[in-house]
Amino acid sequence: MDPRNLAEQEKDIRDQLRRAERTPVKTSTSRKDTLKRLIDLAHSEHASLKIIAATNLKFFIKDFPELEDEAINAVYDLCEDPVSSVRIKGYAAIVDVSREQQKWVKRNADVLVQLLQSDEPEEVTFVKRALTQHLDMDPVVTLGVICDQVVPPDEPLDEEEQSIRDRLRSLVLAFLAGEAKRSLVERHTTTPGSPVEQILVSGLLKAIPKLSPNDVDVIVKDILASLPSFKLPSARGKELLDILLAQARAALKSDLPSGNETGSLQNTRYYLESAYFISVDRRLVNPSHLLRFYYTTLTPKLVLGRLHEEDQAYVIRNVAKVLAASDECALRTPPTAPAADLARTPGGNATAVDETALRKQFPDVCTVLLQVFAGIESDELRPWAACLILLQGIVRRTKDGRWHLPQNLVSSLRHVQSLSAPQGIPSEKNAAQQQAHSVIRVRNGPLLVSAAYVQRNSLCFPFFVPCSHSSSRSSSRPHLLPRWMRHPP
């Protein structure tokens, strides 16, 4: 312990620093002694002397490799000092050291990530600032360190270690989605496929199958969706969707085990919501890819029929909304567009083969959905708005003349038409039911569509389902439109 009072010690070290600064030889003995003195002061009993050490170590550390470890450990000690002002100066000293010696960026970034766990909110602000500065210094190395904290380790952890790791991961994701986002979006990931973009996206995509739904939600909605490489339908968006749907399939096996007992979509919904977000809400990938998943995985009757009514309604709503989004995307690319345009990227426009396959599946899928819809006993759960979208989809497909209503779908439509409006349902649901009923018209004769009505009402066109006795009508007699459709108001 230095017997001199604090003022004398401060004056002495400042004089020594001035002399060292004027020394032309960077590796001189006097400068080396100054560095040793600063390392000692980092463990002083006086906060002011520790702060002097924190702010001046950067001027000497790179000139004396043999003292580097001692100096950097002194900086880390300052970051754990009992005095807040000293710790804050320590965080800044970490940045200074990394700027002087690039080789320390990785280790220092790792230390700063650990320091995100501080219980002092004000200090965490300084830690995040220091980590952002490291991101600007060397984004590849810093993001590598950050992503290492996001991806769970393969080896098992005890309960305490797992809890610490989970908390740190949530803090790291919050940093990426918050303070670091602007830096990432505006400076570091502007070029798809760049080393920085690759390490961030690959690290996060790798982590998704191992993380909780809440963490996945942050990664998808708050981080990846903001990156330039995900802005338009792209291969990146398709890659993300494939991972989410793989997780949805795995969750469905857990939610709905083999057998005949009913089940829910308790875990599956998390991933379906994320998939819907990127496919429909943000259009980061063509919705037809998600629609195909629903067609093949959730709408088969053996699957949909085993779900609780609430989950059946959920599937019907989602299929309807994804169908509408997929149809909208298809309308943007004319059928006469070159094949090269129809399949630009894996995540862009669906190929002509994809569209044809989905179109062929639609009657059978729609039949099942409407059957299940009609079979839902709870009036509150029955999704009339989704039913209306499905009916509009049927009209669009019959209007283009590529297929006619199969008999099983006709039966489903009759069943829907027979559903009466219950008392006390919300006005918007009642309105959707009335619109759905207005779309379906049971008349003698084949399906008729009013071109005038089509033009006037855009996507909502009435169509006619032939009654079972329509075959008795003479084939030579023309089928006439009703008066109200021949002379629309």
Side-chain angles (χ1 to χ4, degrees), residues 18-214:
R18 280 192 291 269
R19 290 193 298 271
E21 184 180 357
R22 290 194 295 265
T23 302
V25 181
K26 296 292 186 180
T27 57
S28 65
T29 301
S30 63
R31 285 178 58 82
K32 186 174 185 178
D33 290 342
T34 303
L35 177 57
K36 289 180 179 180
R37 179 77 186 282
L38 292 173
I39 292 172
D40 291 339
L41 290 180
H43 305 95
S44 169
E45 60 180 330
H46 302 292
S48 60
L49 294 176
K50 294 177 182 178
I51 290 175
I52 290 174
T55 55
N56 287 279
L57 280 167
K58 63 183 178 182
F59 299 119
F60 305 93
I61 189 170
K62 72 177 182 181
D63 297 323
F64 303 99
E66 67 276 17
L67 295 176
E68 274 186 352
D69 284 334
E70 286 185 66
I72 195 66
N73 286 330
V75 172
Y76 296 157
D77 290 339
L78 291 169
C79 295
E80 297 179 346
D81 193 83
V83 180
S84 176
S85 60
V86 174
R87 293 196 296 269
I88 290 173
K89 290 297 184 181
Y91 308 149
I94 289 182
V95 177
D96 293 335
V97 169
S98 293
R99 284 203 176 107
E100 293 296 324
Q101 289 282 68
Q102 193 80 3
K103 67 180 182 180
W104 290 105
V105 169
K106 183 175 182 178
R107 180 176 171 183
N108 288 347
D110 189 45
V111 170
L112 289 169
V113 168
Q114 300 298 325
L115 289 171
L116 289 172
Q117 301 173 89
S118 172
D119 295 327
E120 302 293 334
E122 180 183 354
E123 291 186 28
V124 172
T125 301
F126 288 95
V127 172
K128 289 179 177 179
R129 183 182 303 166
L131 198 51
T132 301
Q133 290 171 314
H134 276 72
L135 192 58
D136 290 336
M137 275 188 272
D138 194 331
V140 172
V141 170
T142 304
L143 284 175
V145 171
I146 290 174
C147 289
D148 284 345
Q149 293 295 338
V150 174
V151 181
D154 294 328
E155 63 274 8
L157 303 175
D158 61 39
E159 186 175 347
E160 182 179 2
E161 290 175 328
Q162 187 65 55
S163 177
I164 293 173
R165 182 86 187 204
D166 290 345
R167 179 172 181 268
L168 181 57
R169 180 184 305 111
S170 67
L171 294 172
V172 168
L173 291 176
F175 169 71
L176 288 174
E179 291 78 4
K181 179 185 286 188
R182 182 174 180 179
S183 174
L184 290 173
V185 172
E186 295 183 359
R187 294 194 292 275
H188 303 309
T189 60
T190 55
T191 305
S194 67
V196 179
E197 192 261 1
Q198 285 276 10
I199 197 166
L200 175 62
V201 175
S202 299
L204 295 180
L205 293 181
K206 178 182 177 182
I208 286 176
K210 302 179 180 180
L211 298 183
S212 68
N214 288 338

Side-chain angles (χ1 to χ4, degrees), residues 254-292:
S254 173
D255 286 338
L256 205 62
S258 58
N260 296 320
E261 59 276 6
T262 59
S264 70
L265 297 177
Q266 180 179 356
N267 298 305
T268 311
R269 279 200 192 201
Y270 290 112
Y271 301 103
L272 293 178
E273 290 295 332
S274 293
Y276 183 91
F277 173 79
I278 67 171
S279 301
V280 179
D281 289 342
R282 298 294 294 271
R283 304 294 171 94
L284 307 183
V285 62
N286 193 292
S288 64
H289 300 298
L290 178 57
L291 186 64
R292 186 187 307 111

Side-chain angles (χ1 to χ4, degrees), residues 396-431:
R396 288 195 298 276
R397 285 155 177 79
T398 55
K399 176 178 174 289
D400 66 16
R402 297 189 185 184
W403 60 271
H404 300 285
L405 291 176
Q407 187 57 43
N408 56 353
L409 182 51
V410 172
S411 299
S412 296
L413 292 170
R414 289 201 186 101
H415 197 173
V416 172
Q417 177 73 5
S418 70
L419 296 174
S420 59
Q423 298 295 323
I425 65 171
S427 58
E428 62 272 12
K429 180 171 288 190
N430 187 47

Side-chain angles (χ1 to χ4, degrees), residues 465-479:
V465 182
C467 291
S468 57
H469 60 275
S470 63
S471 59
S472 61
R473 188 166 185 157
S474 172
S475 59
S476 60
R477 182 180 178 181
H479 300 289

Side-chain angles (χ1 to χ4, degrees), residues 195-234:
V196 179
E197 192 261 1
Q198 285 276 10
I199 197 166
L200 175 62
V201 175
S202 299
L204 295 180
L205 293 181
K206 178 182 177 182
I208 286 176
K210 302 179 180 180
L211 298 183
S212 68
N214 288 338
D215 287 340
V216 172
D217 195 59
V218 174
I219 289 175
V220 173
K221 296 181 179 180
D222 299 333
I223 303 174
L224 293 179
S226 301
L227 301 181
S229 54
F230 285 84
K231 287 298 182 184
L232 297 173
S234 64

